[in-house]
Amino acid sequence: MASRTGLLIVYTGNGKGKSTAAFGLVMRAWGRGMQVCVVQFVKSSTGKWGEVRAAKKMGIPWHITGEGFTWKSKDLNHSRALAEEGWNLARKCIASGEYDLVVLDEFTYPLKFGWLDTDQVLNFLAQRPAHVHVVVTGRDAPTALVEAADLVTEMRKIKHPYDRGLKAQPGIEF
Ligand code: ATP
Ligand code: MG
């Protein structure tokens, strides 16, 4: 048995809390003096997000790679190119061995939409430096990812304030 300690962690499901759980780990690891890094796959890079502001203050590398790419995007070639660009960056962060924890936020979507090949991604992750923890967030985690992971938690919605018309608010949603 290899002496791998780095975990592949997946936070999935329809309930709120996937990304915040991942960012909670970032804070915990950072507090331990560990090297951490975040790559986000579906977010606009307005920089107004509370977590991005915090990362700046904490000196945590935070890459936003999916500008304008969402599941609503009409331009699939563009979305695919952005996903590949983000994955190339993520691969560098992971393979360098420089980081103890790498978060791939909203990474299930490029897998789900076939912009990246899940088997190739999993092959790469299986060969990463043994100490590197990788955290993947997003709804609809592919079965192969769930099977390959060491820790999988499904967030299940019981209630969400959106249901009664409350808008997203600072410190909670962004
Ligand atoms: P968070 O970033 O707050 O941890 P998340 O990563 O679990 O949320 P995403 O699927 O990335 O959830 O959705 C991002 C945004 O959508 C969040 O602002 C969140 O409040 C909202 N959201 C998440 N789940 C639900 C839901 N079941 N119904 C309505 N809105 C939701
Ligand atoms: Mg999220």
Side-chain angles (χ1 to χ4, degrees):
M1 186 71 198
S3 58
R4 171 175 288 288
T5 54
L7 301 175
L8 177 55
I9 299 174
V10 176
Y11 295 129
T12 190
N14 293 331
K16 171 172 159 62
K18 300 174 289 295
S19 296
T20 44
F23 303 155
L25 281 185
V26 164
M27 197 180 86
R28 180 173 282 167
W30 179 86
R32 286 269 169 193
M34 292 161 71
Q35 298 302 311
V36 297
C37 163
V38 175
V39 183
Q40 286 193 298
F41 284 80
V42 184
K43 283 283 184 271
S44 67
S45 56
T46 60
K48 66 175 179 160
W49 304 87
E51 53 269 39
V52 178
R53 294 178 182 199
K56 223 170 244 166
K57 291 182 187 172
M58 296 160 90
I60 294 172
W62 194 291
H63 307 280
I64 300 172
T65 68
E67 173 90 69
F69 105 40
T70 72
W71 45 93
K72 289 175 201 142
S73 174
K74 295 277 184 289
D75 187 349
L76 286 180
N77 286 331
H78 184 54
S79 301
R80 192 182 295 270
L82 285 170
E84 277 167 8
E85 203 179 293
W87 176 234
N88 285 339
L89 178 67
R91 281 197 305 189
K92 275 187 202 138
C93 294
I94 294 166
S96 72
E98 199 182 320
Y99 299 104
D100 303 295
L101 178 83
V102 179
V103 171
L104 308 179
D105 189 40
E106 317 295 339
F107 188 56
T108 57
Y109 303 105
L111 301 178
K112 178 182 168 185
F113 297 121
W115 298 333
L116 298 172
D117 184 89
T118 300
D119 287 340
Q120 281 178 16
V121 165
L122 291 176
N123 280 338
F124 172 84
L125 290 179
Q127 287 168 36
R128 74 191 186 278
H131 68 283
V132 181
H133 301 293
V134 174
V135 185
V136 174
T137 83
R139 298 176 188 209
D140 305 318
T143 309
L145 173 64
V146 167
E147 280 169 1
D150 302 290
L151 191 167
V152 183
T153 298
E154 182 175 16
M155 307 297 176
R156 183 168 64 90
K157 191 193 94 163
I158 293 179
K159 281 182 163 186
H160 194 290
Y162 282 14
D163 297 343
R164 56 185 184 90
L166 279 185
K167 282 193 192 139
Q169 52 183 312
I172 303 294
E173 262 90 23
F174 60 89

